[in-house]
Amino acid sequence: MKVVIRAGGVGTRLWPLSRQSKPKQFHAFAGGRTLIQEAYDRVGKFYPSDDIYVSAPESIAGMVREQLPSVPAENLILEPARRDTAAAIGLETAIIARKDPRAVIASLGSDHVIRDADRFINLLKAAETAIETMPDYLFALGVKPTRPETGFGYIETDQVLMKANGEPVYRVTRFTEKPDLESAEGYVRSGHFLWNSNMFIWRADTLLNLFRKFEPEMMSGLREIQSALGSPQGADVLRRVYPTLKRVAVDYAIIEKTDKMAVIPADMGWADIGSWSAIHEVAEPDARGNIAHGREIILDTSNSTIFSNSGRLVAVLGMKDVVVVDTGDTVLVCSKQSCQDVKKLTDALSADGELKRFAE
Amino acid sequence: MKVVIRAGGVGTRLWPLSRQSKPKQFHAFAGGRTLIQEAYDRVGKFYPSDDIYVSAPESIAGMVREQLPSVPAENLILEPARRDTAAAIGLETAIIARKDPRAVIASLGSDHVIRDADRFINLLKAAETAIETMPDYLFALGVKPTRPETGFGYIETDQVLMKANGEPVYRVTRFTEKPDLESAEGYVRSGHFLWNSNMFIWRADTLLNLFRKFEPEMMSGLREIQSALGSPQGADVLRRVYPTLKRVAVDYAIIEKTDKMAVIPADMGWADIGSWSAIHEVAEPDARGNIAHGREIILDTSNSTIFSNSGRLVAVLGMKDVVVVDTGDTVLVCSKQSCQDVKKLTDALSADGELKRFAE
């Protein structure tokens, strides 16, 4: 099995820490390792480094090399532009398929927390086993929802198709992106839905066949890049063609459209630090419900999150349910309730000539 | 008349902007001039610079010279240590009395706002006129209270003693420091109380006589300093004796004890920026009640104060009644209600070996 760690996410809701120039997966939220280093460590313990790829926009290649020095140069897949996940996953698949069209690929997000790494690896192996029997299926790892979260994708399950290494493999009847609250509540109540963990397993040829079927134009671009790979023109073709690929998420472009989708329930301690209010997923609150990272003094304050990586002092007095983030050039103060709306700030900044740089 | 601008206050409740190394009067809260520059400008328009003195702890002499370049070197009264207002006022009085024991001195705080400078000067002149008739009285300018503020001193008035330049001069029956809320409410209701504006007018010999009467030990120290002034040993004596003077406020030591105290009601737009919640005294809130100074973006937020002088961006989202202060090395986030308790933070910092420097 080949493993691809996708490093291209931006994590806009973790602004101002997470920036295009240094997205959230390149930050440490607890302990010393960054999320992407943890993502690499998890698979690096079980797979040889030759089989682990990292895909990232070219603009952050330096940071990837710095944080993940074990990745062989030829396993670093660099995208000349940001074109969303369909193009990124298409590219990684085309590159791996060139050497081995029937390769099984685990395509993994890098901006999540997985507390039980052993369990995670066992689930990847179960998916690999299942693919031997069902090579034309796409597999996802699905997480049992614990709350009606509206920021995640949901996967509706049907009957069990098979057991692989003892793990039940469910047929997927529906894949839905970020639902409204009412729908999310219904999903959680029904017991038939799992969260999309953003961890996929599939055969390279299976996925490329689906690109051909549902996104023929993208496929012809990917094919052009693939043919030129390794030739003297390879880099030029990539640089010319990749930026023309459709900007769409792989979920919309491919996954929601196929009827051969399977999911394995994954009780692996998965958590998404989707926004500042979710930081308790990685850090233990103190007796008053506060989470602090950095140099702080906190008095008469409860249920608050204070994160500083600037070396400056953050002093918080008489607050409740607040998030304070202090980075090199920006301080964010927001109520926990409004954490999800951080994009309002970056949108407003982007529209401002002078302040634009703080959004990027 | 000689004018002394006292620059020795610390303004602890405006931490982290106001620090021992740069107290609040050396900061600008609105517009480009600092509070002490405004204090100097107010009197500098009407009095020659030879008659305007500035008193300050030696440790901040450089900052005084930088912000007030018009002050003649010999008019800068430097205290070798911080010994509270009785010692500071005793020293300035002893120095001025050496040349002219009967000099009238206006001893003025530098950390207040006075919007009507012309009116202020007229009130100083009225006090000067009154002193011709009542040379053994101490005079204060008193501000009509608009709220039961517990952070100010109150002056209880009795009958009108005289009119000076048309201004009524009241006899003072009581001088009380920071009352509790109930007392403050009673004072405001009664209509017989004025706030102590921290602006005093008296004759040098009158004040020194009261030192002799109520603080004989301080007086003997002051006398020793005074005698040595101008001699080669002057600086040494000051440096040796001043730090031994009692650490007490002039209000407690002298003013509350004399029965010859007068006050002139001063409708001069006086305001004290005592804490961050009082910043609206110098800055106009916007339609949502927010006050912003610096580089900010503020969304879905009301009744909040954001002050930054660091050049960094402060982003505030979904907050109410909050104060955010961003200085070079510290960020403070506190509820408006708890602004008065900023000292809790500096006390805790002072007790911490590593964080101590952030309190100073």
Side-chain angles (χ1 to χ4, degrees):
Chain A
M1 181 151 82
K2 307 295 181 190
V3 176
V4 182
I5 296 172
R6 300 190 312 270
V10 175
T12 46
R13 281 177 303 159
L14 287 181
W15 181 89
L17 183 71
S18 187
R19 306 282 264 267
Q20 275 187 34
S21 51
K22 193 170 181 179
K24 74 172 175 183
Q25 55 271 28
F26 295 95
H27 292 278
F29 291 88
R33 303 285 281 171
T34 65
L35 291 180
I36 199 166
Q37 288 174 325
E38 288 179 347
Y40 191 87
D41 294 348
R42 273 196 296 272
V43 290
K45 276 171 76 179
F46 296 90
Y47 297 96
S49 62
D50 274 0
D51 288 344
I52 307 175
Y53 294 74
V54 175
S55 87
E58 209 172 22
S59 56
I60 57 170
M63 201 159 50
V64 174
R65 287 194 194 96
E66 190 186 307
Q67 293 207 2
L68 301 177
S70 317
V71 177
E74 63 274 20
N75 284 19
L76 187 52
I77 301 172
L78 296 179
E79 300 135 16
R82 287 185 182 275
R83 302 304 291 170
D84 216 327
T85 52
I89 287 177
L91 179 65
E92 73 195 33
T93 312
I95 287 174
I96 291 171
R98 199 172 143 264
K99 291 188 197 156
D100 176 8
R102 300 171 70 172
V104 174
I105 301 175
S107 182
L108 311 175
S110 62
D111 53 358
H112 301 97
V113 175
I114 294 179
R115 290 195 202 85
D116 191 343
D118 290 348
R119 184 85 186 101
F120 171 56
I121 296 296
N122 283 336
L123 291 161
L124 291 183
K125 290 188 168 164
E128 197 179 5
T129 302
I131 284 178
E132 289 171 20
T133 315
M134 304 157 59
D136 52 351
Y137 266 73
L138 307 183
F139 289 77
L141 300 186
V143 174
K144 194 164 184 248
T146 53
R147 59 181 189 274
E149 172 67 52
T150 56
F152 297 162
Y154 283 75
I155 302 172
E156 189 177 11
T157 59
D158 192 8
Q159 85 272 27
V160 175
L161 293 168
M162 67 173 290
K163 287 223 171 188
N165 302 5
E167 307 293 337
V169 177
Y170 287 85
R171 202 174 80 89
V172 172
T173 52
R174 191 156 48 125
F175 214 92
T176 59
E177 265 302 289
K178 304 173 182 165
D180 57 36
L181 184 62
E182 203 182 331
S183 307
E185 287 171 341
Y187 294 170
V188 174
R189 241 190 339 262
S190 77
H192 294 123
F193 283 80
L194 297 169
W195 284 336
N196 175 12
S197 74
N198 226 350
M199 310 286 178
F200 301 111
I201 307 96
W202 43 54
R203 255 175 55 169
D205 52 359
T206 300
L207 189 72
L208 292 178
N209 282 336
L210 293 172
F211 267 95
R212 188 176 305 117
K213 185 169 170 189
F214 297 121
E215 291 291 345
E217 227 175 297
M218 289 188 88
M219 190 58 215
S220 90
L222 291 171
R223 189 70 78 202
E224 191 179 350
I225 293 168
Q226 196 185 36
S227 314
L229 279 176
S231 79
Q233 305 86 316
D236 286 347
V237 173
L238 178 64
R239 208 172 297 273
R240 176 171 53 76
V241 176
Y242 190 86
T244 68
L245 296 181
K246 193 161 149 190
R247 196 192 286 270
V248 60
V250 72
D251 312 56
Y252 294 115
I254 307 290
I255 297 179
E256 290 182 10
K257 293 180 184 160
T258 178
D259 54 1
K260 290 190 171 168
M261 183 76 205
V263 65
I264 302 179
D267 49 341
M268 56 190 180
W270 177 93
D272 178 50
I273 319 173
S275 72
W276 288 110
S277 58
I279 198 88
H280 58 268
E281 300 284 5
V282 282
E284 197 62 40
D286 67 15
R288 301 201 60 180
N290 298 319
I291 295 172
H293 174 108
R295 177 175 278 149
E296 280 113 1
I297 179 163
I298 302 171
L299 291 178
D300 305 339
T301 292
S302 60
N303 198 28
S304 293
T305 295
I306 294 94
F307 186 100
S308 167
N309 68 352
S310 69
R312 294 157 23 108
L313 176 71
V314 179
V316 181
L317 177 67
M319 299 298 299
K320 227 174 81 176
D321 302 314
V322 73
V323 171
V324 181
V325 182
D326 168 48
T327 67
D329 64 355
T330 301
V331 177
L332 166 68
V333 178
C334 68
S335 61
K336 277 211 171 160
Q337 243 186 335
S338 55
C339 275
Q340 305 289 335
D341 300 330
V342 157
K343 206 173 172 320
K344 277 191 183 180
L345 289 171
T346 52
D347 285 350
L349 290 170
S350 297
D352 183 306
E354 200 217 332
L355 299 181
K356 202 178 154 112
R357 64 190 167 94
F358 290 99
E360 288 165 358
Chain B
M1 181 151 80
K2 307 294 181 190
V3 176
V4 183
I5 295 172
R6 300 190 313 271
V10 175
T12 46
R13 282 178 301 160
L14 287 180
W15 182 88
L17 183 71
S18 186
R19 305 283 263 268
Q20 276 189 34
S21 52
K22 193 170 181 180
K24 75 172 174 185
Q25 56 271 29
F26 295 95
H27 291 279
F29 291 87
R33 302 287 279 172
T34 65
L35 291 180
I36 198 165
Q37 287 174 327
E38 288 179 349
Y40 191 87
D41 294 348
R42 273 195 297 270
V43 291
K45 276 172 76 178
F46 296 91
Y47 298 94
S49 61
D50 274 359
D51 289 343
I52 306 175
Y53 294 73
V54 176
S55 88
E58 209 173 21
S59 57
I60 57 171
M63 201 159 49
V64 174
R65 287 195 194 95
E66 190 186 306
Q67 292 207 4
L68 301 177
S70 317
V71 179
E74 62 276 20
N75 284 18
L76 187 52
I77 301 173
L78 296 180
E79 301 135 15
R82 288 186 182 275
R83 303 302 293 170
D84 216 329
T85 52
I89 287 177
L91 178 66
E92 73 194 32
T93 313
I95 287 174
I96 290 170
R98 199 173 144 264
K99 291 190 197 155
D100 177 7
R102 300 171 70 170
V104 174
I105 301 175
S107 182
L108 311 175
S110 62
D111 54 358
H112 301 99
V113 175
I114 294 178
R115 291 197 200 81
D116 191 344
D118 290 347
R119 184 84 186 100
F120 171 57
I121 296 294
N122 284 336
L123 290 161
L124 291 183
K125 291 188 169 165
E128 197 179 7
T129 302
I131 283 178
E132 289 171 18
T133 315
M134 304 157 58
D136 51 351
Y137 268 72
L138 306 184
F139 288 77
L141 301 186
V143 175
K144 192 161 186 250
T146 54
R147 60 181 189 273
E149 173 66 53
T150 57
F152 297 162
Y154 284 74
I155 302 172
E156 189 178 11
T157 58
D158 190 10
Q159 85 274 27
V160 174
L161 293 168
M162 66 173 290
K163 288 223 172 189
N165 302 6
E167 307 294 338
V169 177
Y170 287 85
R171 199 174 82 89
V172 171
T173 53
R174 192 155 48 123
F175 215 91
T176 59
E177 265 301 290
K178 303 173 181 163
D180 57 35
L181 183 61
E182 204 183 331
S183 307
E185 285 171 343
Y187 295 170
V188 175
R189 239 189 339 262
S190 78
H192 294 123
F193 284 80
L194 297 169
W195 285 335
N196 175 11
S197 74
N198 226 351
M199 309 285 179
F200 302 111
I201 307 96
W202 42 53
R203 254 175 54 170
D205 51 358
T206 301
L207 189 72
L208 291 178
N209 282 336
L210 293 173
F211 267 96
R212 188 176 306 118
K213 184 168 171 190
F214 298 121
E215 292 291 346
E217 227 174 297
M218 290 190 86
M219 190 57 215
S220 89
L222 291 170
R223 190 70 78 202
E224 191 179 350
I225 293 168
Q226 196 185 37
S227 315
L229 279 175
S231 80
Q233 304 87 314
D236 286 345
V237 172
L238 177 64
R239 207 173 296 273
R240 177 171 53 77
V241 175
Y242 190 85
T244 69
L245 296 181
K246 193 161 149 190
R247 197 192 285 271
V248 61
V250 73
D251 312 58
Y252 294 115
I254 308 290
I255 297 179
E256 290 183 11
K257 293 181 182 158
T258 179
D259 54 1
K260 290 190 171 166
M261 182 76 206
V263 64
I264 302 179
D267 50 339
M268 56 192 182
W270 178 92
D272 178 51
I273 319 173
S275 71
W276 287 110
S277 57
I279 199 87
H280 59 268
E281 301 283 5
V282 282
E284 196 63 38
D286 68 15
R288 302 201 58 180
N290 298 320
I291 294 172
H293 175 107
R295 177 176 278 150
E296 281 113 1
I297 178 162
I298 301 170
L299 292 178
D300 304 339
T301 292
S302 62
N303 198 28
S304 294
T305 295
I306 293 94
F307 186 100
S308 168
N309 69 351
S310 69
R312 294 155 25 107
L313 176 72
V314 179
V316 181
L317 177 67
M319 300 298 300
K320 227 174 80 177
D321 302 315
V322 74
V323 171
V324 181
V325 182
D326 168 49
T327 68
D329 63 355
T330 302
V331 177
L332 166 69
V333 179
C334 68
S335 61
K336 277 211 171 160
Q337 243 186 335
S338 55
C339 275
Q340 304 288 335
D341 300 330
V342 157
K343 207 172 168 324
K344 278 190 184 181
L345 289 172
T346 52
D347 285 349
L349 290 171
S350 297
D352 183 307
E354 200 218 333
L355 300 180
K356 203 177 152 110
R357 65 188 167 95
F358 291 101
E360 289 165 357

